[in-house]
Amino acid sequence: MAIETMPLSGSIGAEVKGVDLVQLGDAGFSGIHRALLDHAVLCFRDQELTPDQQLAFAKRWGDIHLHPYLDGLPDCPEIIEIVKEAGERNRFGDHWHTDQIFTPLPAMATMLYAKEVPAAGGDTMFASLTHAYDALSDGMKELACRLRTYNLYDKQAPRSRQMAAKIPDQDKPAAPAIHPLVRVHPETGRRGLYLNEMQTTRRFDGMTEEESRPLIEYLLRHATRPEFTCRIRWEVGTLAIWDNRCLMHLALDDYPDHRRVMHRITLKGDATIGVDQTDIAA
Ligand code: SIN
């Protein structure tokens, strides 16, 4: 079923019009699935969802990915409540990242539902890793296709008081995960860069941090060029879903005097697939 979309920028993102996610039929859902592959991030305005209804919509996409280090809501553990109080810094997701790259099977998609937002500020920005890969030179593409990243969750990173309290075993070390730097999207077949800022993507596998830093920093600068991005301005009742297999995102920390509360669900993903080494120049 064709659904009505309004692009959020010239490269990625779309707002979906006229959909009530609670009433959505199978044809409507498959139109939304197609739109997510086309636009990488979608938002829906004016949704009225209880935690159970948000979870029911999430389950239409597949199994839920439970965060390995962060606790969910006591009566709905699949939902992580992201809270920043007035007067605090928002330290949750305030750097470019793709969700759960620090696990062997990173989250396929993330769904975020706005419960309480400032009148202005607190937007989320998105950057297309597919457009970023496509715009590299052939030489850099070849090099990138041969590299793998070493990723580790930083349990000690500064967080708002409520978010820090959701990490039960702060002192227990996190386990690293290795992924290809160029990931082949399992549904579209398109290649994209796949990395986070260095608080998670610490280095390339088999290299030191010092050796890795110049190239990681270059690729992050390149991937977040304004023409590869879009942003969502939240309203209470906005739900967004984004494809972590081809995007990074960043939560803007520009609303010091306001509270913001979001309900987040992540969806289970597959093992990451790199470019077949015999096929790199394709
Ligand atoms: C996240 O990084 O998943 C949270 C994004 C946000 O709060 O805008």
Side-chain angles (χ1 to χ4, degrees):
M1 185 178 121
I3 53 161
E4 193 193 341
T5 55
M6 191 178 78
L8 293 176
S9 78
S11 55
I12 49 167
E15 183 170 325
V16 179
K17 301 289 194 187
V19 167
D20 175 350
L21 294 173
V22 176
Q23 305 295 334
L24 189 67
D26 288 344
F29 178 74
S30 72
I32 287 170
H33 187 176
R34 182 66 252 163
L36 185 66
L37 297 178
D38 291 343
H39 299 283
V41 49
L42 301 175
C43 74
F44 307 82
R45 302 288 181 192
D46 303 319
Q47 303 297 316
E48 283 183 25
L49 299 172
T50 63
D52 283 346
Q53 286 169 328
Q54 186 185 352
L55 186 57
F57 178 55
K59 285 184 173 167
R60 296 185 78 164
W61 298 83
D63 293 337
I64 306 302
H65 173 110
L66 291 179
H67 197 291
Y69 307 118
L70 267 179
D71 286 345
L73 289 173
D75 45 358
C76 191
E78 294 90 346
I79 294 183
I80 291 177
E81 188 166 67
I82 302 174
V83 189
K84 187 208 83 88
E85 300 293 350
E88 283 187 317
R89 295 277 314 275
N90 174 38
R91 309 309 269 272
F92 190 81
D94 63 340
H95 57 286
W96 286 107
H97 66 286
T98 162
D99 284 330
Q100 275 101 66
I101 195 173
F102 47 79
T103 59
L105 301 179
M108 178 267 274
T110 300
M111 193 176 283
L112 198 60
Y113 179 55
K115 303 276 294 173
E116 197 174 327
V117 291
D123 296 358
T124 306
M125 297 193 63
F126 299 88
S128 167
L129 293 166
T130 316
H131 290 312
Y133 175 82
D134 288 346
L136 291 171
S137 65
D138 289 347
M140 184 57 86
K141 283 180 181 157
E142 269 192 45
L143 171 62
C145 285
R146 295 186 202 286
L147 294 173
R148 298 188 313 155
T149 58
Y150 175 98
N151 304 280
L152 193 62
Y153 188 66
D154 184 0
K155 287 187 170 187
Q156 311 289 345
R159 291 186 174 83
S160 72
R161 186 181 44 77
Q162 297 205 38
M163 296 316 289
K166 293 181 199 289
I167 303 183
D169 300 313
Q170 297 254 356
D171 297 330
K172 208 163 141 212
I178 310 280
H179 295 292
L181 173 62
V182 176
R183 179 172 187 184
V184 180
H185 192 289
E187 291 187 83
T188 65
R190 292 187 67 182
R191 296 177 184 182
L193 291 171
Y194 190 63
L195 78 168
N196 276 21
E197 282 193 32
M198 285 188 79
Q199 72 185 69
T200 313
T201 298
R202 308 283 174 101
R203 55 182 174 79
F204 295 116
D205 189 33
M207 294 189 199
T208 65
E209 279 190 28
E210 195 182 6
E211 289 166 335
S212 309
R213 180 175 298 280
L215 184 52
I216 292 181
E217 287 185 348
Y218 164 72
L219 291 172
L220 287 164
R221 257 195 329 277
H222 168 77
T224 54
R225 274 164 43 181
E227 63 269 33
F228 303 147
T229 69
C230 74
R231 67 198 276 173
I232 291 181
R233 182 169 188 170
W234 300 97
E235 295 160 6
V236 171
T238 301
L239 180 135
I241 178 165
W242 62 84
D243 188 338
N244 285 304
R245 301 166 296 184
C246 58
L247 280 185
M248 285 191 294
H249 60 280
L250 172 149
L252 280 162
D253 183 16
D254 60 352
Y255 54 106
D257 302 331
H258 301 279
R259 187 167 198 260
R260 179 177 183 268
V261 182
M262 314 291 277
H263 277 186
R264 186 177 99 151
I265 298 178
T266 44
L267 299 164
K268 215 173 226 170
D270 313 306
T272 50
I273 306 167
V275 174
D276 188 315
Q277 297 296 295
T278 57
D279 203 22
I280 284 181

